[in-house]
Amino acid sequence: MTFAAVVLAGGAARRLGGVAKPLLTVEGSALLARVLAAVPDARPRVVVGRVGEVPPDVVVTVEDPPGAGPVPALRAGVALVPEDVQTVAVLAADLPFLTSGTVRALRTALGDQEAAVLLDAEGRRQHLVACWRLGALRAALETTSPRVRDLYPVRTAEVPPAQARLPEYLDCDTPADLDLARRLAAQNPSSSSSASTAER
């Protein structure tokens, strides 16, 4: 089954001092590179945000206006997904421990649902670790709500987190999150290196 990936890499990263968050590193690999490595077979792979150099097969775009938020960014990314693509992985760019196995689990969980979303350890939906039917996503993006969670339809499969040493749902929104990710990676070097074969 063909699938695409849209990776949201914009945002002001105010809680991280306004740095380019996707380019921050864990175990020497940029956060964005680690996320892209979890979807190596997605076509196309679309990154929304100003991120500098990317692998040659990755398409980069920016929402209009830049910094308008995740829903406009997702619209901009989905606009570059061809109509013959069946499913779309929707991912944040700051997930250092995301694996292709979890993306595969989300795609499998779709079944006859419109979306599948990863849960964290407390059972909360991680709306930017998800997989959607393209048609359902395009319809949802007609909303005027700026909140990603308001996109979600009733028919959503929930995928529990993998029983792994490293939390694939961990996103790096704050300095404390980034420090935690780096500590966990240092404590579990083999798991961290297998979590994503990062693209440099």
Side-chain angles (χ1 to χ4, degrees), residues 24-68:
L24 293 172
T25 61
V26 171
E27 289 285 280
S29 298
L31 296 176
L32 175 60
R34 297 173 75 90
V35 173
L36 288 172
V39 286
D41 50 346
R43 294 293 182 273
R45 298 191 295 176
V46 181
V47 172
V48 186
R50 293 192 172 99
V51 293
E53 291 187 13
V54 294
D57 69 301
V58 173
V59 180
V60 178
T61 189
V62 179
E63 70 274 21
D64 184 20

Side-chain angles (χ1 to χ4, degrees), residues 169-196:
Y169 50 80
L170 175 65
D171 56 5
C172 296
D173 286 332
T174 67
D177 295 335
L178 185 61
D179 287 345
L180 174 60
R182 288 170 171 168
R183 287 200 310 273
L184 289 172
Q187 292 165 7
N188 299 277
S190 59
S191 297
S192 177
S193 61
S194 63
S196 293

Side-chain angles (χ1 to χ4, degrees), residues 133-156:
R133 299 284 179 198
L134 178 58
L137 181 54
R138 288 194 193 280
L141 285 169
E142 294 177 4
T143 182
T144 57
S145 172
R147 300 180 302 185
V148 172
R149 64 176 175 269
D150 290 339
L151 298 176
Y152 277 78
V154 174
R155 294 195 297 121
T156 302

Side-chain angles (χ1 to χ4, degrees), residues 106-107 109-110 114-118 129-132 152 156-159:
L106 289 165
R107 293 173 62 200
L110 262 178
E114 294 171 314
V117 61
L118 185 68
V129 192
C131 191
W132 282 76
Y152 277 78
T156 302
E158 296 181 335
V159 176

Side-chain angles (χ1 to χ4, degrees), residues 38-141:
V39 286
D41 50 346
R43 294 293 182 273
R45 298 191 295 176
V46 181
V47 172
V48 186
R50 293 192 172 99
V51 293
E53 291 187 13
V54 294
D57 69 301
V58 173
V59 180
V60 178
T61 189
V62 179
E63 70 274 21
D64 184 20
V71 171
L74 192 50
R75 286 193 194 103
V78 170
L80 299 179
V81 176
E83 291 293 340
D84 61 343
V85 170
Q86 299 177 30
T87 58
V88 182
V90 174
L91 305 168
D94 60 351
L95 300 160
F97 304 130
L98 183 68
T99 67
S100 57
T102 285
V103 175
R104 222 170 13 250
L106 289 165
R107 293 173 62 200
T108 299
L110 262 178
D112 61 356
Q113 306 298 304
E114 294 171 314
V117 61
L118 185 68
L119 303 179
D120 67 13
E122 283 72 48
R124 295 171 299 204
R125 288 182 175 186
Q126 301 302 298
H127 297 110
L128 292 180
V129 192
C131 191
W132 282 76
R133 299 284 179 198
L134 178 58
L137 181 54
R138 288 194 193 280
L141 285 169

